[in-house]
Every structure is written in C-alpha cells, then in structure tokens.
Amino acid sequence: MSIRMRVNSDHHLLLPHHHHVGDRILLQCLATLLLVSAVVAGPQVVEEDDQSGLEESPLTVVQAVESGRVLLPCDVSAPEPTDDTILVLFYQGPIGTPIYSIDGRNGPINRAPHWADENTLGSRAYFDMASEPPGLVLQSVKESDDNEYRCRVDFRSSPTRNVRIELDVIVPLKKIKILSEAGLEVSGVIGPYPVGASVKLQCQVDSGRPRPSVSWFHEGSLLDDVSEVRRGDVTSNTLTIPALTRNDLYKVLTCQASNSNLSVPVAAAVTLDMSFPPLDARILGSLDSLAEGERYEIVCESSGSRPTATITWWKGGILMTDTRSQVFQEGNVSRSTLYLTPSLADHDVYVFCRAKNPMVPSAVMEDSRKLNVHYTPRLSLAAGVSLDMDDIKEGDDVYFECGINANPKVIKVQWYHNQGEELIHNVTAGVIQSNQSLVLQRVNRRSSGQYTCSATNVHGHGKSNAVQLSVKFAPVCRPGQKIIYGGGKHEELNVTCNVEAHPEPNYFRWAFNSSSEVVDIPSSSFKVIGKGRSQASYTPKTHLDYGTLLCWANNEVGRQLTPCIFHVIHASAPDPVNNCTVDNVTSSGASVRCQAGWDGGMEQTFMLRVSHARAHTRAHDKKKEAPRVLANTSTSPKPEFLLTGLEPGTEYVLTIMGVNKKGQSDAMRMAIVTLKDVAEKRTSPGSGTIALTPILAVLFGVLASILLMVIVIVIVVRSRQPRPRKPEVKMLYDKGGSPATLPLRRHDEPSAVDDHNPDVIPINDDHQVKELQQDYVTETTGLPQGSGGPSFDHVRQGSPSQTSPQQTSSKKEYLQGHEGSFYINPGTLLRQKRKLRPPRKREELQRKSRSGDSDLDLSMASTRF
C-alpha cells in the first residue's frame, strides 16, 4: 500500500482523506513519532513516494564565481496575510534530505532557529530574510556547489511552495601563457624577426569553468577568436601572421581569455621586435676627377636599417680599412667616411660602399663609383718590333714607339736625343714625328745615343725610359787628338792613333808615307792600348824618316776609308803663350790664365816668374842689374797660375814661358797692380773729406789734360818719323782665339780684335820674336802644288779631319791606282827645311830671343807703364 504522508505547518501529519479511520489513527501515531524525532534530532528526510509536479515548479538560474558569494532566492512569505510560514527546507540536487532548514512552528519564522548540514554547507550558509528577494546566502562558493537547489516553504494553512534554483559556479581562469612556434613560453618583447618572416604564436589557458573563450587582439582590434580545445582542461588559440612588414615593429599582440561576465578576463601580451635591412646605400659626391697623390674623403650613407647598418668599403675586391663610422637620427642613418689617396692603379677601378645589417645578412645594399684618377703621363719607349737594335748600320731607318698612359689626354709630345737635344720634325733631315712615333731616316754615327720621349697633360709632365741606339759604322779618326810629333834623330816617338768606331776595331794598320810609296810598319812596332786606340813606336834615324805616319782601323762594318795622319817633324822650342788674362786681383794675390802656344812637337810645361816693376825700371837705368825674381813656379799642362803673398798697392811684372825638351818659348810679360789695403783707404770722418773733393777733381783734371797733350805729341812725332825698312814684328794675343788658329802678323797691321783689358798690360816689345818660326811658316806655306806635304796651318791646328787642297789631290791621285791606300810625300817638309837659315844664324836668333828674359827694353816698358 502506498501511503503518501504530508506534514502541515503545525507539524501534524496530513493524511489523505480517502483512507479509513483506523488507518488514519495508525498513521497519526506514526506521524507523531516522526515529529518527536524531528524535534529532537532536527529535520529529517521526509521521503515521499511521489514527487511529481516539482519539475513544473519555477526555476531560477543563479551564477556565482568560485570563492565568491551567492544568494539562492526563495520567497518565504505567506500567500495570505492570515497564514504563517512554519517551515523552510533547502535541498541540493536529487537528494531528498534537506541541507538547510528554518523551523518556525514554535514562533515567528523570522525568529525561528536555522540549521545547516555541516558536511555540505558547514558555516558557509545563512538565510537572509532582509534581502529582496530573501534567500540562502552561500559564501566562499566552491566548484562543488554547482547544482540545482530546491526551496520548500510550508505554511499553516496554505499549500507548500517549491522553488527550484540552478546554481552555476563559475571557476575563474587560473593561468594563461603564450608559446612560440618552438613550444617555448614567451613574454614581453619577442624577436627580433626579419621583415617578411612569419610569426606563429599559441595562447593557452589552463582550467576554467565554463570552458573559456580565447581571443587575440591588437590595440583593441580582434585578430582571432577561434579557440581550439586541447587535452584536458587546456583551451588554446593559435595566431599566425604570414609575413611581417616594417609596420609590425613594436606591435603588441594580446591574448585574452574569459569564461563569464562575472569573472575578470585574463590576458597575456607580447611585443614584436624586428630587424630591418638597410633601405639604401649612397656614395655622396662625385669621383670624376681625383688627382693622383692627393688625399680625399669619400662619404657613404645608409638609412632604414635596424639595428644600425654596418658599412664597409671595397676597392677592386679588397676591403679598405682607413675609414671612420658615424650614426645619426637615433640610429636610423649610418655614415662611413673613406680616406683614399688614389694612385695610377686606381684609375677606372670601382669603389663599392656596402651596407649590411648583421641580423639580416642576406639583404645587402651597395653603391659604387668608378674612380677617375688624373695623373701625369706614364711613358714607355721601345724600338720598333721589327728592328734588330744590335745590328743598326749607317744608312738604315729606325723608328721608335712611345707608349703613353695619361689621364687626361696629353697635349704635347716631345722627343729628345741624349737627354737634352730636342728633336724637331724635319722631313728633309730625316726626322719624322707622327703621333707617338719617331722615325729616323738614314741614320749615321751621330745618331747614336739615348732617345727619350716626354708628354705633358694638364696634370703634369712625364718622361720615358731611355732607349740606346748604337749605330754601327766603320772606324774614323777621333777629332782633337795630337797629330804633330816632334823629336830628334834616334829619338823614339810613341804616336797614338785614336779612332771612333762601333763596334770596336779588331785590327789596326800603320804605314809611313815615303816619297814614292806607303811602307807598312811591322805589327811588332805597334800595339793596341785601349778601346779604339793603337800606339806605334817610331824612331826617325835620318832626315828622310821625317814625314807622315798613317793609321787605319778595321771592324766588322768595314775598313777605315780615310787614314789618320800624324806628322813627324824635327822638334823645336814651343811658341809663346797668348791671350793672357788676369782675374780676381786682390791686395795680396791674383789669378793668371793664358792659352798655350804650339808645343814644338813635344810635351811642354809652363813657367811663371814674378818681379817688382820698379826693379825693371832700375835695371833699365843701370843697364847691368837684372830684376830680382820674387817667385818662380811651373805648371803643366795648362798655363794657369794662382798668385798669393803679394804686397798691397804694388806693381808686379809677370813673365810666362812655355818649356819643352828643346828649349823655352819667348817670354810673355804683363804688369799687374794689386789693390790697396782696406786699412790704408780709411780716412777720418768729418767735413774734411767733403772739402778735399773739389781739390782732387781739379787735380785729376789737370793731370788728364797733361797726359792727353803728351799722347798727342808722341803720336805726331811718330807719324813724322820714316818707317824702318824692316817692320817690327811682335806676337799679339786675343782672348777669344786658340793657339792653333792665331796667325803671325806685323806690328803695323790692324788687329782683328781690340782687347782693352785694364788688368793686363803687355810689355813684351821684343822685335826678335820667333824670327825663325816666321821664316818657317813663310816657307812651309809656300809649298808647291802637288807636293803632297801638309800645310803649316793644318799642322798647327791639329785637326785630322781637315786637309789642304794638295793633300786632297794627292789622296785622289793615289787612290786611283793604289786600291784605297793613302799617299803623302814625306819629302816635302824635309825639302823645305833645307831652305831654312844656316844653323849659326838660327842659333844666334834663338840666343837673342832667350836673352830677352833679362835684357828688357826698358824704354818700351816705361812707355807702357
């Protein structure tokens, strides 16, 4: 039998009315027992067999946050004013045992005792009747409190009221984290990421009830709100950015998770850090005209790099290290300065400026400039490729190529021979210049030497290397050598033959030119003494052995066509010196320089004697005393002397003579006056000097007038005197002449050159000057045509390349029938010598000439002084 019992508000057991009376009495007893036990032990579970209809009772959903406070609403007020609430019971879930009760059967409900299940609620619950609506308050809500609750309210007379409350306990989110693509937890600033890189971040939220919603935001903008459920209680959302741009720098990505409006959302954020490659690299300025050797500063700038770009300089693949780096605009602009001193090798070379971010090594920006270096011309001279410079002979054509490397282009090209002689374009002379080439047509031995080319541009002047041109030619006589040798009979003479040739001669031939034929000198009598030099030992034994020696040389080019001619004569005393000058006259010294006269065919030395001029005057008065010689010195081979130790303000006579083994030449005399000492010229200061000046002027005027009158009288007297039958002959000298070219002339003949040197006063008025020599000149210059003998002028000048007409005709005549041999009649000079004066007269003249050194013509000397 199913019995459904109900306890009313006054704790009476309410039985169904359809039961019998007996049954009702029995049940009433049982209800009484239950009420007694309920009063003693508290509210007990009243099991009902039938709970139908509760699911239709009102349901109120209440949410609460874990650890928070919640009120489960339950209206306990009586539906009728006359009715009272006697019992309030709270049930949790399907369990039929109340967890909280208020028993108001013994008094007003607001003062009724409360009871709570210790295991379920403990001290966390109380019923708040003052709130609106009233209800059961739970504090420190637990996750286990999430359930459906039922509030039963019993009244004294009204039916029982049941209210259902569904409590949703919200468990707050405990932890949120962001993981990188590698699965590592990240926070704060992450990166740096290069431009274009993809970013994948995962946001994870542990626990939480209900399951949270996970979203990504950037500055309030939703990026991704699709959550993925992971294992267990973990909820995640993965954000993917496919390609970062420069705008993503410092971008803040926020992951936010929330599971209720009652709980505070949790969030985590990361900031993107990025590295940027440089946007550009720029070389500032132009490098079009850099001067070689100058130091320049070349600047390169780069911007847009993060971190700051590293700038490097490269030249021709070589890293340049002489640089300086700077950073501007908060690291956005990098600047590097290259210090460059360009050279020729840098011309047309590219200089690179490279900007690179170390964090993005694959992205490199660079700029380049081509160096335009201005430099002086560099020249390289070479002979024509088809020429054999070791086998150039006279008559060949030679050409040179001047390689020029210059920037800017050259404006002038010049050619030089032997480092100083500029070659001028002259087609007639065989010198042809064309651009950078030089052509020499029909070269000869004078073309030999070093050739160079030079070029000029606006930057400077350059010079090439020297190329040696050696033109091969047959031997010829070297000019300037000694060609007259004098000696006595049985006196050995060493005659030296010096020739020019290329290559050096390998054979010499000597011969003596006799009256009828050319007689070869045996090879044992001559030898080679150096390059192009041969020396023959020749001893005249009779008067027929005086004549000419001939010398030929051979080399690989050919035989010498014209022989070197050497005259062997009977030696004599030398000619006097001439053209003497005095320089650097001081109070105690002077220097004397003369030109040597003919050496008489032998080596000569020179002697100087110094004496007082007044000693010459006294000797003229007494006619017996010879002037005292103050100094006597000799020098060789030039007549040059330096005088020291002379007295100030004193007049001296200098006597200069040439000396060889055959004797001495006539004396050349001159007078000099040393300067006064400086101490003697000093006068006391004051007006006395000024007062004497007019007196001195008048005195000098009177003396000049007297001197002029005397000169006029002398000239008139001499002009009226009859000329001597034999005019007086003396040696005059000329500063500009040479001993070999000075002719002998008479005293009354006009001088070709007037020399008015005040330092030189010639006093040699000896009329016995080389009378024998004059006769010799007169006789030898009058040789008959075709005799083959050399002229005296040719002998005196000593030039092997100049011959007299007689020699030329003799040479041509002989060459016609003697296969190139050269013939000069050696008897010419010997026959002329027979016409000389007798030895006695000649010795007498020579003795008188030598006595002139001591017996001076004082009257002439006084006139000249």
Side-chain angles (χ1 to χ4, degrees), residues 246-524:
R246 289 178 178 266
N247 296 329
D248 293 328
L249 176 65
Y250 295 140
K251 190 173 187 177
V252 179
L253 301 177
T254 303
C255 174
Q256 181 174 302
S258 175
N259 59 355
S260 172
N261 293 332
L262 299 179
S263 62
V264 178
V266 293
V270 292
T271 302
L272 295 180
D273 186 16
M274 298 184 66
S275 58
F276 302 152
L279 292 175
D280 56 9
R282 306 178 308 278
I283 296 178
L284 307 182
S286 174
L287 306 181
D288 289 339
S289 57
L290 304 179
E292 179 187 21
E294 298 290 336
R295 184 176 174 87
Y296 293 91
E297 297 181 4
I298 308 175
V299 179
C300 178
E301 281 190 355
S302 176
S303 61
S305 176
R306 188 175 187 280
T308 304
T310 301
I311 299 178
T312 55
W313 289 90
W314 300 80
K315 184 186 71 174
I318 301 175
L319 177 65
M320 309 298 291
T321 58
D322 191 3
T323 61
R324 179 172 61 93
S325 300
Q326 296 172 288
V327 179
F328 302 94
Q329 299 181 11
E330 298 181 354
N332 187 44
V333 176
S334 301
R335 176 180 293 176
S336 178
T337 302
L338 170 66
Y339 298 97
L340 177 66
T341 303
S343 63
L344 170 62
D346 297 328
H347 181 58
D348 286 342
V349 173
Y350 281 89
V351 170
F352 292 87
C353 164
R354 293 177 182 173
K356 180 176 69 174
N357 186 341
M359 305 297 296
V360 192
S362 59
V364 178
M365 300 299 295
E366 72 176 19
D367 190 15
S368 63
R369 291 288 188 276
K370 187 177 182 180
L371 298 179
N372 183 18
V373 182
H374 286 188
Y375 52 89
T376 56
R378 263 63 168 186
L379 296 92
S380 176
L381 181 62
V385 294
S386 61
L387 294 178
D388 183 3
M389 295 299 288
D390 295 330
D391 190 24
I392 302 297
K393 300 182 178 65
E394 287 188 315
D396 293 345
D397 292 343
V398 178
Y399 68 97
F400 299 92
E401 292 290 341
C402 184
I404 301 177
N405 182 14
N407 185 37
K409 294 183 178 179
V410 297
I411 56 179
K412 185 179 182 181
V413 178
Q414 295 171 289
W415 294 85
Y416 293 94
H417 179 215
N418 289 333
Q419 305 297 328
E421 178 187 350
E422 183 178 359
L423 298 176
I424 307 300
H425 179 78
N426 189 344
V427 178
T428 304
V431 178
I432 303 174
Q433 298 181 15
S434 175
N435 295 329
Q436 298 173 199
S437 300
L438 172 67
V439 178
L440 301 177
Q441 296 179 331
R442 301 177 301 277
V443 296
N444 53 41
R445 62 178 178 272
R446 290 183 297 275
S447 303
S448 298
Q450 291 186 336
Y451 287 83
T452 57
C453 60
S454 67
T456 304
N457 63 2
V458 296
H459 192 266
H461 178 80
K463 189 176 181 181
S464 74
N465 58 298
V467 175
Q468 178 68 35
L469 173 63
S470 298
V471 180
K472 292 183 177 181
F473 59 94
V476 293
C477 290
R478 186 181 299 275
Q481 59 183 310
K482 182 178 180 180
I483 65 170
I484 300 178
Y485 289 83
K489 294 179 182 180
H490 302 287
E491 183 178 349
E492 185 180 24
L493 300 177
N494 292 321
V495 182
T496 301
C497 178
N498 197 349
V499 298
E500 294 179 347
H502 180 68
E504 295 296 330
N506 51 19
Y507 173 76
F508 280 91
R509 174 194 173 197
W510 285 85
F512 180 77
N513 190 8
S514 67
S515 58
S516 59
E517 60 180 345
V518 176
V519 180
D520 286 336
I521 296 178
S523 59
S524 59

Side-chain angles (χ1 to χ4, degrees), residues 410-672:
V410 297
I411 56 179
K412 185 179 182 181
V413 178
Q414 295 171 289
W415 294 85
Y416 293 94
H417 179 215
N418 289 333
Q419 305 297 328
E421 178 187 350
E422 183 178 359
L423 298 176
I424 307 300
H425 179 78
N426 189 344
V427 178
T428 304
V431 178
I432 303 174
Q433 298 181 15
S434 175
N435 295 329
Q436 298 173 199
S437 300
L438 172 67
V439 178
L440 301 177
Q441 296 179 331
R442 301 177 301 277
V443 296
N444 53 41
R445 62 178 178 272
R446 290 183 297 275
S447 303
S448 298
Q450 291 186 336
Y451 287 83
T452 57
C453 60
S454 67
T456 304
N457 63 2
V458 296
H459 192 266
H461 178 80
K463 189 176 181 181
S464 74
N465 58 298
V467 175
Q468 178 68 35
L469 173 63
S470 298
V471 180
K472 292 183 177 181
F473 59 94
V476 293
C477 290
R478 186 181 299 275
Q481 59 183 310
K482 182 178 180 180
I483 65 170
I484 300 178
Y485 289 83
K489 294 179 182 180
H490 302 287
E491 183 178 349
E492 185 180 24
L493 300 177
N494 292 321
V495 182
T496 301
C497 178
N498 197 349
V499 298
E500 294 179 347
H502 180 68
E504 295 296 330
N506 51 19
Y507 173 76
F508 280 91
R509 174 194 173 197
W510 285 85
F512 180 77
N513 190 8
S514 67
S515 58
S516 59
E517 60 180 345
V518 176
V519 180
D520 286 336
I521 296 178
S523 59
S524 59
S525 298
F526 62 88
K527 59 184 177 179
V528 178
I529 60 174
K531 292 184 178 181
R533 298 178 65 194
S534 176
Q535 188 177 79
S537 298
Y538 183 77
T539 303
K541 297 179 180 179
T542 66
H543 67 277
L544 297 178
D545 294 331
Y546 290 97
T548 56
L549 291 176
L550 307 179
C551 169
W552 293 269
N554 287 22
N555 65 359
E556 66 179 49
V557 177
R559 184 182 63 177
Q560 181 177 348
L561 297 180
T562 303
C564 300
I565 304 172
F566 303 95
H567 302 282
V568 180
I569 64 173
H570 198 280
S572 63
D575 285 353
V577 297
N578 55 75
N579 199 19
C580 295
T581 58
V582 178
D583 297 322
N584 303 324
V585 178
T586 64
S587 60
S588 60
S591 61
V592 182
R593 183 173 62 254
C594 299
Q595 289 187 355
W598 181 57
D599 59 2
M602 305 183 70
E603 183 179 356
Q604 65 174 333
T605 59
F606 301 93
M607 182 175 63
L608 169 68
R609 291 194 298 222
V610 182
S611 58
H612 282 294
R614 59 178 179 270
H616 285 268
T617 304
R618 289 195 301 269
H620 178 70
D621 293 339
K622 298 181 181 179
K623 298 293 183 179
K624 294 181 180 180
E625 287 188 29
R628 185 171 63 91
V629 177
L630 302 178
N632 195 343
T633 183
S634 62
T635 181
S636 176
K638 296 182 180 180
E640 298 177 358
F641 305 91
L642 179 63
L643 306 179
T644 58
L646 303 181
E647 297 178 1
T650 305
E651 185 177 5
Y652 293 92
V653 173
L654 308 180
T655 303
I656 304 173
M657 293 177 294
V659 180
N660 65 9
K661 293 181 179 180
K662 295 300 181 179
Q664 63 185 21
S665 69
D666 293 337
M668 169 59 72
R669 295 186 180 86
M670 65 184 69
I672 63 170

